[in-house]
Amino acid sequence: MPGCDHAGIATQTVVEKRILAEEGRRRTDFARDDFIARIQVWKDEYETQIIAQLKAMGCSCDWDRTRFTMDDVCARAVREAFFRLFADGLIYRGKRLVNWDPATQTVLADDEVEHETVQGHFWYMKYPLVESVEIEGGTVEHITIATTRPETMLGDTAVAMNPADPRAKYLLGKKVRLPLVGRIIPIIADEHVVLADPESDDEKARFSTGFLKVTPAHDPDDWQIGQRHDLPVINVMAPDGTISDKFGWDDATGSDAEQLLGMDRFEAREAIVEWFRTENLLEDVREYTHEVGHSYRSHVPIEPYLSDQWYIAVKKPISNFQFPISNLEKRKLTEQKDGVTYIKGTDVPLNSLAGLALAPLLDGRVKFTPERYAKTYQSWLENLRDWPISRQLWWGHRIPIWSKVGKTAPNGKPDGLIFREIENDDEIVTCACVAPGCEDVEKQLEKDGFQRDPDVLDTWFSSALWPISTMGWPEDTELLKAFYPTDLLCTAREIITLWVSRMVMFGQYFRGDIPFSQVYIHAMIQDGSGRKMSKSLGNGIDPLDIIASHGADAMRFTLAAMTTETQDVRMPVEEMTLPDGRVANTSPKFDIGRNFCNKLWNASRFAMMNLEAMPAWSEIHPKKNLSDRWILSRVSTTVRDATAAVDAFGFNELTDVLYHFMWNDFCDWYLEIAKVRINAGESAAKAVLAHCLDVLLRLLHPIVPFITEQIWSQLNEVVPCRGPGDSPAEDMLIRAQWPLADAAMIDPAAEADFELYRDAVRGVRNLRAEHNVSPKQKAKVLFDVQSVPGRIILENQALFESQAGAEITPAGAQADKGDAGTFTVGGTPFYVLGVIDIEAERARLTKQAGTIQNGITGIEKKLAAEGFVAKAPAEVVQRERDRLATLKRDLEAVTNSLESL
RNA sequence: GGGCGCGUAGCUCAGUUGGCUAGAGCGCUUCCCUUACAAGGAAGAAGUCACAGGUUCGAGUCCUGUCGCGCCCA
């Protein structure tokens, strides 16, 4: 089921920027619906492009069912989901410090905040005590706080110190006058405060003065302290990050701080530091490197900001949950606390949303590949905090809540409407959540003075519903019955928490079952120097450009070959001129796939040229010919290995197995042998050839669908019936069955014998190359015809002579081996007569003898080592002994040849 | 601060539960435009498996530590 989500923040930001750049107009210059219409146009353009990319890449999807998270089907599911969550009391409104992005003026989830290391400062600022204090005989007029964000001091409502601080007994309960503002604030005790220790290993302790300014409205830790001590909360900033007294700050007027109003937060920082310096209250400034949260969207520093947001309670037990959750209880993987069933070792109630997502991992119903990613999923859920779901955007699913200040008694009690009273800043607000399909209720509410919440839902809310919403939930559709749960989710590791966990959560909560049983996390492609591909760096690649430069199949093959279990994959990016003349980014890496496809095409063409008058499978006797037995064994082994690789998501292994079979076995050896045999009138090779190609195409189709489908249709014209059974092939390869490995065809003896044959051919070729024997000249080859390799060569004499460019010297012929080149196959010496340069051969053999001797020494050492023979498995010991014997025969042969030179 | 990954040939990467002389592609060297393929064929050179310890008959593989690179989370 193909489709797109609406990528709320990203999409709106892009369109806002574009309209500002092109037309000089801001979002606020538009009516809401008009602006949304503009985004819709942009989205349609890009959606079309994305779908076209998927099609061009050969993705096999159900195109008729293409979905978008904001289309009607999905929108209804979102409304229904929200309504049910609200009805179950899992959605609430909370005043919280949120991650505020002053640039885009929206709230970001914790996951949307990027932590960057920033070179900053600690400023040491003196706050005067209202009354001086005597400590150990000295008079103290000031205390000094240290801060990295001086501008927030305008909102300070206390100074905290650790009760264990020796000065605490003199200072606790005393008051300070907040500079600039003049506000009188208390000195309180809180254990969160780090004690000052210049010698400490802890950096914080080295930088601490022991006094902490407390700004509940602008710092998460301070917010906690404020909650503990019931401190006032004073917000000193406007949503755009400028200093303002319009959002909860009422003692600015008339103070020295008034001059700061309207300044940007960073301007204000400088002004405040300067003011302290002038007033002689700046004690010190020290360099400090620390982590600062930045918006992943606008990249400006996040401002912790006090704001009203809708939340989903993820650890709240759901009363009367209607579906079975898991068998964890039976397996004693839960524990009881205060009447609640928790997942063992966590504070996650089994019947909470977090529990619903965590249980299927723990009970094994959801599996990750590679397995290590299960940890990411698990630890995220175990430490989950409530999910802020409102976003200050226009592009998205608008929150289906209408509200009105004051207690408003419900007018009757229409279906599809839930009222809830919420306390907010000392006033009561009545909120109404409306179910989908109740437009009349919505109109009535608006008539009654209710206003719809302006915010939209987090994009992930609707994305979390994807597996069910796209198939028509909340109806119990035939689609859902047929395809839910699905088998496999394939995705990137960076959204395991944002997306994967929430799909499981919602799938379990709304449908009572997991959305998928397997999660495959694929590698991420980076550029050649290990950087993420991005528009701003200009190091990204458009798949359509790769398709233009190398072809879709080449791209698919290469990507599959690069897909390993590792986290990141590097893709060198290069500008290239495409066939249509455009210059675009692509990568020479795709040569791998292009060369592969080219080879496959040529080999298939050649095979098909030779299939005329192919005998039926039932007429041939492939068991009688070594090369047939060998290639059929290789076919079966390849089918077996390829199937295993697919089952294990080993995509690089799959391409590796198929590459090796196609190129090295099928092309380099079997096709070359078939040439000779077919020329000699041996037509049995044709039937085997056709069968090999048939299986190869079926194995390759998922990776390189276009070229294999094309070859398949040509093959069907040449030989519609082929392979064991001689039955007609499927018209379309995409419908053909994945081949089954035929264990009876696996023939280790044939593979071993063929190996000897191949070594003999290579041995002759090697000598020819080393001694520059002209290709036209036949090499005279002499060997013991009674030996195992000798018999094999003799049985395939014509083939051997053709492939090696050799002539076998008649058995028993006496020959002068003095000027022969030598090589060994399985311990049997082979001589190539009269071709050599004696000095070169001596050097070659000496080197070879050295290599063999190294091998022998290694094995002898191993066999002599204490414990090896006694402790290693018998088969390992035997293997070493066999190898040693062969090597010794090889060495003897080489030594003999050296002596006779 | 917590977690995860990576470091193997000049480059990009494989190497499953420890067990043949550590592999592939690209690049490089030599020869070959042989009637499927020069995006090709034949042959070849090239690695102290980051470093230091440990476990073991045996370590690229397991354990501990160090160094370097990257990612995720707080």
Side-chain angles (χ1 to χ4, degrees):
Chain A
M1 180 119 34
C4 303
D5 72 16
H6 57 276
I9 300 179
T11 308
Q12 180 169 321
T13 308
V14 167
V15 176
E16 280 193 58
K17 273 190 191 155
R18 188 194 251 195
I19 291 177
L20 184 63
E22 289 174 2
E23 304 168 26
R25 298 164 79 194
R26 295 177 184 281
R27 170 166 59 109
T28 43
D29 298 335
F30 290 82
R32 182 166 177 146
D33 286 347
D34 294 340
F35 192 78
I36 289 173
R38 295 292 299 268
I39 303 177
Q40 184 78 32
V41 170
W42 187 88
K43 168 253 154 186
D44 287 344
E45 185 188 327
Y46 277 83
E47 186 183 48
T48 308
Q49 195 179 325
I50 290 166
I51 300 292
Q53 284 173 333
L54 289 174
K55 286 184 177 172
M57 289 190 281
C59 295
S60 180
C61 302
D62 193 351
W63 302 110
D64 296 339
R65 293 210 171 89
T66 303
R67 285 265 171 263
F68 174 55
T69 47
M70 278 170 66
D71 64 22
D72 291 344
V73 176
C74 294
R76 199 166 70 100
V78 166
R79 287 289 296 260
E80 180 70 23
F82 191 96
F83 189 75
R84 289 197 194 179
L85 286 162
F86 195 86
D88 275 349
L90 296 175
I91 290 182
Y92 67 93
R93 192 154 176 81
K95 236 190 208 323
R96 290 270 178 107
L97 274 190
V98 293
N99 304 303
W100 182 257
D101 176 348
T104 61
Q105 299 208 17
T106 190
V107 175
L108 301 178
D110 291 342
D111 324 86
E112 293 164 340
V113 177
E114 290 172 349
H115 294 267
E116 287 175 28
T117 304
V118 168
Q119 189 66 41
H121 298 91
F122 249 119
W123 283 276
Y124 292 80
M125 312 200 301
K126 292 198 261 189
Y127 286 7
L129 288 157
V130 173
E131 290 167 12
S132 58
V133 175
E134 297 292 320
I135 298 179
E136 318 273 321
T139 306
V140 175
E141 306 267 359
H142 299 92
I143 57 169
T144 303
I145 58 92
T147 180
T148 58
R149 300 175 58 216
E151 67 279 12
T152 63
M153 59 81 60
L154 301 170
D156 285 2
T157 52
V159 170
M161 62 190 305
N162 195 306
D165 192 311
R167 298 166 294 183
K169 58 183 171 183
Y170 305 105
L171 287 166
L172 284 179
K174 299 285 189 275
K175 305 219 183 278
V176 297
R177 184 185 305 276
L178 189 63
L180 271 164
V181 184
R183 188 181 305 143
I184 307 296
I185 58 176
I187 298 174
I188 59 169
D190 196 288
E191 286 176 352
H192 171 81
V193 181
V194 177
L195 288 165
D197 179 3
E199 308 296 316
S200 173
D201 287 339
D202 179 10
E203 200 180 23
K204 286 222 170 94
R206 286 204 305 276
F207 280 91
S208 172
T209 62
F211 297 99
L212 180 73
K213 63 190 274 306
V214 183
T215 323
H218 294 283
D219 185 277
D221 290 334
D222 293 10
W223 169 260
Q224 296 292 335
I225 297 173
Q227 294 291 99
R228 285 198 284 273
H229 298 272
D230 206 16
L231 295 174
V233 178
I234 299 176
N235 173 27
V236 299
M237 277 183 215
D240 64 357
T242 57
I243 304 300
S244 169
D245 61 351
K246 303 236 163 23
F247 298 87
W249 179 17
D250 54 18
D251 58 2
T253 311
S255 73
D256 284 353
E258 207 172 353
Q259 55 179 322
L260 301 166
L261 296 175
M263 282 187 187
D264 175 77
R265 52 187 169 149
F266 299 111
E267 255 181 279
R269 176 180 296 179
E270 285 178 30
I272 289 170
V273 170
E274 198 44 47
W275 186 90
F276 272 80
R277 200 188 308 275
T278 317
E279 297 291 318
N280 222 7
L281 290 173
L282 187 66
E283 188 176 289
D284 197 6
V285 181
R286 289 165 71 185
E287 300 273 325
Y288 185 61
T289 306
H290 60 137
E291 297 272 298
V292 176
H294 286 66
S295 164
Y296 88 106
R297 198 34 52 203
S298 68
H299 302 292
V300 304
I302 288 300
E303 189 62 42
Y305 195 75
L306 199 61
S307 154
D308 289 316
Q309 302 291 331
W310 291 102
Y311 284 85
I312 291 183
V314 293
K315 287 186 178 168
K316 183 176 173 185
I318 306 162
S319 45
N320 305 321
F321 186 66
Q322 54 172 324
F323 299 112
I325 300 171
S326 172
N327 62 2
L328 286 183
E329 270 182 287
K330 265 192 206 150
R331 294 166 57 186
K332 301 205 164 49
L333 292 170
T334 57
E335 56 198 5
Q336 296 285 323
K337 243 181 309 182
D338 306 325
V340 176
T341 307
Y342 289 92
I343 291 173
K344 205 166 195 171
T346 73
D347 66 346
V348 180
L350 185 59
N351 62 339
S352 65
L353 287 171
L356 290 178
L358 188 52
L361 180 82
L362 301 178
D363 68 24
R365 280 183 295 155
V366 172
K367 284 200 169 13
F368 279 83
T369 305
E371 279 177 43
R372 64 184 123 90
Y373 291 112
K375 274 189 200 164
T376 308
Y377 180 95
Q378 183 176 347
S379 62
W380 153 266
L381 284 167
E382 286 175 355
N383 301 301
L384 196 55
R385 295 194 293 170
D386 285 350
W387 176 13
I389 48 169
S390 40
R391 293 297 132 96
Q392 287 62 48
L393 296 172
W394 285 355
W395 178 243
H397 294 281
R398 195 159 171 186
I399 291 174
I401 287 187
W402 282 255
S403 59
K404 186 179 175 182
V405 174
K407 282 193 182 185
T408 307
N411 227 344
K413 210 189 168 197
D415 282 345
L417 183 62
I418 300 169
F419 280 104
R420 193 162 296 152
E421 285 164 3
I422 289 174
E423 227 187 286
N424 189 19
D425 293 339
D426 307 327
E427 56 187 19
I428 300 289
V429 175
T430 304
C431 292
C433 182
V434 183
C438 305
E439 284 79 10
D440 46 334
V441 176
E442 296 173 6
K443 279 189 190 128
Q444 187 57 47
L445 281 170
E446 282 168 15
K447 254 186 219 164
D448 293 345
F450 280 78
Q451 282 198 326
R452 185 164 186 181
D453 197 299
D455 292 353
V456 300
L457 287 166
D458 180 8
T459 303
W460 297 110
F461 187 97
S462 47
S463 298
L465 291 167
W466 182 265
I468 57 176
S469 65
T470 50
M471 292 201 266
W473 183 88
E475 306 299 325
D476 190 23
T477 60
E478 291 305 313
L479 260 184
L480 275 169
K481 284 185 211 159
F483 295 113
Y484 192 91
T486 66
D487 297 318
L488 171 67
L489 172 77
C490 181
T491 192
R493 65 179 183 278
E494 60 187 11
I495 51 177
I496 291 171
T497 55
L498 296 168
W499 193 37
V500 180
S501 68
R502 285 164 180 164
M503 282 193 281
V504 178
M505 190 185 278
F506 277 4
Q508 285 262 84
Y509 174 67
F510 291 115
R511 181 82 195 165
D513 205 349
I514 50 173
F516 33 72
S517 47
Q518 300 247 25
V519 181
Y520 175 71
I521 303 295
H522 56 71
M524 299 275 288
I525 297 178
Q526 303 174 333
D527 75 359
S529 39
R531 296 172 307 179
K532 247 187 180 177
M533 288 191 175
S534 75
K535 269 216 175 101
S536 50
L537 285 173
N539 60 351
I541 309 184
D542 183 339
L544 295 179
D545 291 335
I546 303 168
I547 292 169
S549 69
H550 288 81
D553 283 341
M555 178 182 77
R556 294 170 62 107
F557 186 90
T558 306
L559 291 177
M562 291 171 78
T563 297
T564 65
E565 276 212 359
T566 185
Q567 301 197 109
D568 307 306
V569 166
R570 288 184 186 196
M571 173 78 70
V573 177
E574 265 180 29
E575 276 195 347
M576 280 178 63
T577 305
L578 304 180
D580 64 9
R582 285 182 304 127
V583 174
N585 277 352
T586 177
S587 174
K589 268 270 175 189
F590 295 109
D591 291 357
I592 298 169
R594 184 198 54 188
N595 293 355
F596 178 84
C597 291
N598 192 44
K599 186 79 177 174
L600 175 67
W601 178 258
N602 284 314
S604 303
R605 206 157 50 93
F606 173 74
M608 290 186 288
M609 275 163 47
N610 282 283
L611 291 181
E612 216 173 298
M614 179 187 85
W617 189 267
S618 56
E619 291 166 18
I620 66 165
H621 305 284
K623 296 257 176 211
K624 287 195 171 167
N625 182 285
L626 176 61
S627 63
D628 288 342
R629 282 167 62 209
W630 167 75
I631 195 70
L632 291 172
S633 178
R634 290 292 310 137
V635 166
S636 286
T637 313
T638 302
V639 171
R640 185 196 63 196
D641 294 349
T643 306
V646 171
D647 287 345
F649 303 107
F651 298 113
N652 72 312
E653 210 192 324
L654 174 66
T655 54
D656 200 58
V657 163
L658 295 177
Y659 186 100
H660 180 253
F661 173 74
M662 190 279 276
W663 207 303
N664 304 119
D665 294 337
F666 185 66
C667 293
D668 290 350
W669 289 93
Y670 195 76
L671 276 183
E672 293 302 325
I673 287 170
K675 269 182 202 172
V676 179
R677 290 174 56 198
I678 290 170
N679 281 340
E682 236 189 286
S683 65
K686 294 181 181 181
V688 176
L689 198 56
H691 172 60
C692 290
L693 184 57
D694 179 287
V695 175
L696 179 62
L697 291 173
R698 286 190 278 158
L699 290 173
L700 281 171
H701 183 261
I703 308 179
V704 282
F706 294 104
I707 190 173
T708 49
E709 192 70 76
Q710 180 60 31
I711 296 169
W712 184 266
S713 74
Q714 292 178 18
L715 186 62
N716 280 352
E717 282 177 29
V718 183
V719 282
C721 298
R722 53 191 180 250
D726 290 312
S727 49
E730 279 284 351
D731 280 350
M732 293 286 289
L733 176 55
I734 197 169
R735 294 181 193 281
Q737 244 198 335
W738 180 258
L740 294 172
D742 182 355
M745 291 280 201
I746 295 180
D747 187 344
E751 297 206 24
D753 285 358
F754 190 81
E755 197 74 18
L756 294 173
Y757 168 83
R758 195 157 56 177
D759 285 349
V761 173
R762 283 180 175 152
V764 178
R765 286 175 176 172
N766 179 328
L767 274 171
R768 298 177 62 109
E770 298 261 327
H771 295 293
N772 293 320
V773 177
S774 146
K776 289 174 192 97
Q777 192 189 335
K778 294 265 181 224
K780 285 189 171 43
V781 178
L782 181 71
F783 52 89
D784 174 7
V785 295
Q786 299 301 322
S787 66
V788 175
R791 282 208 309 274
I792 292 168
I793 301 306
L794 215 56
E795 279 163 18
N796 295 277
Q797 179 165 358
L799 196 59
F800 176 81
E801 290 186 335
S802 164
Q803 291 209 282
E807 196 178 294
I808 296 175
T809 300
Q814 289 303 308
D816 176 13
K817 294 179 200 160
D819 61 351
T822 313
F823 63 92
T824 62
V825 176
T828 302
F830 279 64
Y831 303 94
V832 179
L833 306 177
V835 298
I836 59 158
D837 168 338
I838 293 192
E839 279 318 303
E841 183 65 1
R842 181 168 289 136
R844 197 182 71 88
L845 288 175
T846 306
K847 193 182 171 196
Q848 206 171 40
T851 310
I852 298 170
Q853 186 56 55
N854 282 345
I856 291 174
T857 312
I859 296 171
E860 282 178 337
K861 219 168 132 187
K862 195 181 242 186
L863 284 167
E866 202 181 330
F868 177 71
V869 176
K871 292 189 181 174
E875 69 207 57
V876 174
V877 176
Q878 191 54 45
R879 210 182 325 164
E880 294 297 327
R881 287 187 169 142
D882 291 348
R883 263 188 62 226
L884 183 62
T886 306
L887 284 177
K888 279 186 166 167
R889 274 186 289 148
D890 287 349
L891 184 63
E892 197 189 329
V894 171
T895 313
N896 285 342
S897 304
L898 267 174
E899 279 166 6
S900 61
L901 275 175

